[in-house]
Amino acid sequence: MMKAEDIMTTEVITIRGSATVAEAVSLMNSKGLRSLIVEPRTENDPYGMITETDIVYKVAAYGKDSKQVRVYEIMTKPCIVVNPELGVEYVARLFAHTHIRRAPVIKGKLLGIISITDILRKSDLFENPKRLFIEDEIEVAREEARATCTAKGDSSRECASAWDIVEELLAVASHQRVAKETIGE
């Protein structure tokens, strides 16, 4: 399974929250970027993010002077962050649910940034789609078991093995449900 750290961009450009939006625009234009990570002010402060959308929607659309507006006034902070060990398919799901296009990859410190472009261009999700729900795997295993039993006979070794796979997946699903319920208590 590919992880965020496998496809993230490690060269990350950051900016201070006290910088002007004009400085952010200049930096984004010179580096060909659509967003910048905003540095934390202190060790315990979270990272932020400023995007081209923030600039257009919050500055340009209202005729504000980008030399007078500070990054911290329009940035998103704290921003959603990604653990480097998170599977790429889960990053894609996170992006879909939160309607974001990119996120910093952080584990103790800033390691990189991951975007939907990274997922499209660098991941193997399209060559090797991943099933995210065990219920999907159970359904496929059931269909395979039925087909095997029809082809080989209900009392065949192959039929029994196919249904053993279904039972193993059901046990895993049951274990996962119990684990989730225990965590939720």
Side-chain angles (χ1 to χ4, degrees):
M1 172 193 313
M2 291 190 87
K3 299 176 183 175
E5 64 190 349
D6 298 327
I7 66 167
M8 70 183 182
T9 300
T10 55
E11 185 181 329
V12 181
I13 308 298
T14 63
I15 193 165
R16 298 174 331 281
S18 61
T20 66
V21 170
E23 291 172 309
V25 169
S26 176
L27 183 57
M28 290 166 77
N29 286 338
S30 71
K31 300 290 185 179
L33 300 172
R34 300 178 76 175
S35 66
L36 298 169
I37 302 297
V38 182
E39 301 165 357
R41 290 176 295 133
T42 65
E43 185 178 306
N44 295 324
D45 196 31
Y47 284 91
M49 184 175 289
I50 183 170
T51 67
E52 62 188 2
T53 304
D54 294 325
I55 295 166
V56 170
Y57 289 5
K58 299 173 185 175
V59 178
Y62 293 98
K64 295 180 180 177
D65 184 353
S66 64
K67 294 179 190 98
Q68 299 299 315
V69 179
R70 301 289 172 176
V71 167
Y72 72 82
E73 295 178 75
I74 66 166
M75 69 181 181
T76 300
K77 186 174 180 176
C79 58
I80 293 171
V81 300
V82 171
N83 183 302
E85 286 107 30
L86 188 63
V88 173
E89 59 272 18
Y90 294 102
V91 175
R93 188 186 303 167
L94 172 68
F95 285 8
H97 288 305
T98 58
H99 304 286
I100 62 172
R101 300 177 57 87
R102 63 195 60 82
V105 179
I106 297 174
K107 187 165 186 179
K109 64 178 183 168
L110 180 62
L111 302 174
I113 188 166
I114 188 168
S115 70
I116 59 172
T117 302
D118 294 323
I119 294 170
L120 284 172
R121 292 184 182 163
K122 301 177 190 175
S123 78
D124 66 349
L125 291 181
F126 305 100
E127 292 83 30
N128 301 311
K130 310 291 187 289
R131 284 196 186 96
L132 297 180
F133 300 107
I134 194 157
E135 289 80 11
D136 294 339
E137 290 184 54
I138 292 169
E139 189 55 37
V140 168
R142 280 186 179 133
E143 290 173 16
E144 289 175 1
R146 288 182 189 118
T148 300
C149 293
T150 299
K152 300 286 184 172
D154 289 339
S155 59
S156 70
R157 182 180 308 160
E158 293 88 349
C159 179
S161 294
W163 283 109
D164 286 345
I165 292 169
V166 172
E167 288 179 20
E168 288 174 16
L169 289 169
L170 287 168
V172 169
S174 176
H175 176 73
Q176 288 177 352
R177 277 191 295 277
V178 169
K180 284 181 186 176
E181 290 169 6
T182 304
I183 291 170
E185 292 177 351

